[in-house]
Amino acid sequence: MNYRNYGKLGYQVSALGMGCMRLPRVYKDGESKAEIDKEKAIEIIRYAVEHGINYFDTAFTYHNQTSEIVLGEALKGGYREKVKVVTKQPLGVMKTQDDIRINLESTLKKLQTDYIDVYLIHNIQKGNWEEVKKREIVREWEKFRDEGLIKAIAFSYHGKFPCFNEVMEYYPWDMCQVQQNLLDIDKEVTAESIRVAGEKGCALVIMEPLRGGGLVNTPPSVKAAYDTWPEERSPAEWAFRHLIDYPEVSCIISGMTTLEQLKENIAIFSKPDAVPGCLTTKEREILAKVKDAYDSIISIPCTSCGYCMPCPHGVDIVEVFYRYNEGMMFSAFDQPRRMYAFSDKGGRGARSCTDCGECVKKCPQSIDIPKELKIAHKALAGWIE
């Protein structure tokens, strides 16, 4: 496993970090919610530690507030001492100032630890930044640090560069976590944000490197671009190397659901040439063509983060967009339509949308969700079993 400096904090972390938002799950008969497959999740987490990953990212809300519990269980028996544990508290659960401490204390109990290595204000966006400042949330984080409950102060961010830059100027953050991948380089925080973080000595952690897993899929035009490279390389490796190339990046978080995915990613990040500056001019040209090929496919830029959920009218927004994008990606709609029919029959389809707009306020991608739901429904409706 290759390691990188973690900003100005004086230690190194594995270039590959494990995200705990997409742990393996199981569905129980008669229940609408999935549960973490605890046995498989613990196996994956411990395998990761044993094979060089020392950075684990979770959050208060992941997996219906159970991700921290499972991570805490997995890190018992000496594993905790070998890793950095990173978690986040979103503004939405800080109803009062007292809640801020109560939620941290709950997180510490779930993780079965006395301290958190890096604590993030979760999902800062343009729409909530003023409230974060007004309530002086970062001052509460400073109190926690003074008490030894957390070691470093950070934030995660979805959005454009101007607000990101304002957040960076507001406080000498220890770390910032941003969405970036080979498709979002001209969107989200952009390459300029990566440069700014590097100049400030702020650790920079990347989330959504595979765009919610979408970048492992290769429609014909994308495959044609990759095939111009003389050596066989998986789409995941291409996407990771795009980010590995940046010297400012401290860690790249991937949500790995299976042991096979974990093993493949460890192998990628353990290669001797998987280091900053790894891309050649030819490889950059190929990635530019890949981006153009993906951009030419009409799809909805949903990363399945789930922030839009739950819908007050029962629409499974993430599922609808996933099925639509699946059909567009592979230019084949039979299977997506079949699967969508079950959701639609159960009232979770796009026809249940009332245009209330609650989801739009929460979407970090700024998607016009009601409009896109109509488009998706038109493409997916009509399956006859």
Side-chain angles (χ1 to χ4, degrees), residues 53-322:
I53 294 178
N54 69 356
Y55 194 89
F56 290 82
D57 171 272
T58 184
F60 185 92
T61 54
Y62 288 173
H63 286 290
N64 297 310
Q65 299 187 17
T66 63
S67 176
E68 292 175 331
I69 295 173
V70 174
L71 180 59
E73 282 286 315
L75 294 179
K76 291 194 303 185
Y79 287 91
R80 170 67 180 97
E81 292 74 20
K82 299 177 181 179
V83 304
K84 302 298 182 184
V85 172
V86 182
T87 191
K88 324 175 192 74
Q89 184 176 166
L91 188 64
V93 300
M94 305 179 205
K95 302 300 184 184
T96 69
Q97 292 301 98
D98 289 342
D99 286 339
I100 300 173
R101 179 173 291 272
I102 291 170
N103 292 336
L104 172 61
E105 291 173 349
S106 173
T107 281
L108 289 168
K109 289 178 182 178
K110 289 178 179 179
L111 288 168
Q112 301 185 48
T113 187
D114 296 326
Y115 68 93
I116 294 164
D117 292 284
V118 188
Y119 200 41
L120 289 79
I121 302 174
H122 192 183
N123 193 28
I124 288 179
Q125 299 182 46
K126 183 178 180 180
N128 64 22
W129 174 229
E130 289 303 317
E131 184 178 353
V132 171
K133 290 191 293 182
K134 181 179 179 181
R135 293 178 61 185
E136 297 188 315
I137 303 298
V138 74
R139 306 306 167 201
E140 301 299 323
W141 259 237
E142 289 181 327
K143 294 175 187 176
F144 300 150
R145 185 177 60 188
D146 292 343
E147 295 172 41
L149 301 177
I150 68 174
K151 301 296 185 182
I153 296 173
F155 70 96
S156 65
Y157 181 84
H158 288 275
K160 306 298 184 182
F161 173 73
C163 183
F164 172 83
N165 197 44
E166 183 180 340
V167 176
M168 288 294 289
E169 292 295 327
Y170 174 78
Y171 187 77
W173 306 93
D174 295 309
M175 184 271 273
C176 60
Q177 184 167 311
V178 301
Q179 176 176 323
Q180 195 49 261
N181 51 67
L182 65 88
L183 293 188
D184 284 329
I185 199 62
D186 297 325
K187 307 171 186 176
E188 287 287 327
V189 295
T190 74
E192 181 69 2
S193 301
I194 295 175
R195 182 191 64 78
V196 168
E199 288 182 349
K200 290 183 176 295
C202 181
L204 177 67
V205 175
I206 302 295
M207 56 185 165
E208 300 293 355
L210 301 181
R211 197 64 154 352
L215 289 174
V216 302
N217 299 314
T218 52
S221 57
V222 172
K223 186 177 185 303
Y226 283 145
D227 285 346
T228 62
W229 185 247
E231 301 172 13
E232 185 174 353
R233 183 180 290 168
S234 71
E237 182 170 358
W238 276 106
F240 284 135
R241 287 176 74 89
H242 161 73
L243 296 164
I244 289 170
D245 189 56
Y246 286 96
E248 299 91 345
V249 171
S250 298
C251 185
I252 300 166
I253 297 172
S254 182
M256 294 164 280
T257 306
T258 68
L259 193 58
E260 290 70 26
Q261 290 173 351
L262 175 61
K263 290 178 178 179
E264 177 185 346
N265 290 351
I266 289 174
I268 291 169
F269 281 84
S270 299
K271 291 184 176 182
D273 67 338
V275 295
C278 63
L279 294 182
T280 65
T281 300
K282 175 63 175 176
E283 287 171 298
R284 295 176 195 276
E285 291 173 353
I286 289 173
L287 286 171
K289 291 178 181 178
V290 165
K291 182 179 183 304
D292 289 342
Y294 274 118
D295 286 344
S296 69
I297 301 171
I298 300 173
S299 61
I300 299 167
C302 174
T303 65
S304 300
C305 69
Y307 291 133
C308 59
M309 303 287 283
C311 165
H313 303 285
V315 180
D316 191 337
I317 299 167
V318 172
E319 175 72 6
V320 174
F321 288 168
Y322 175 81

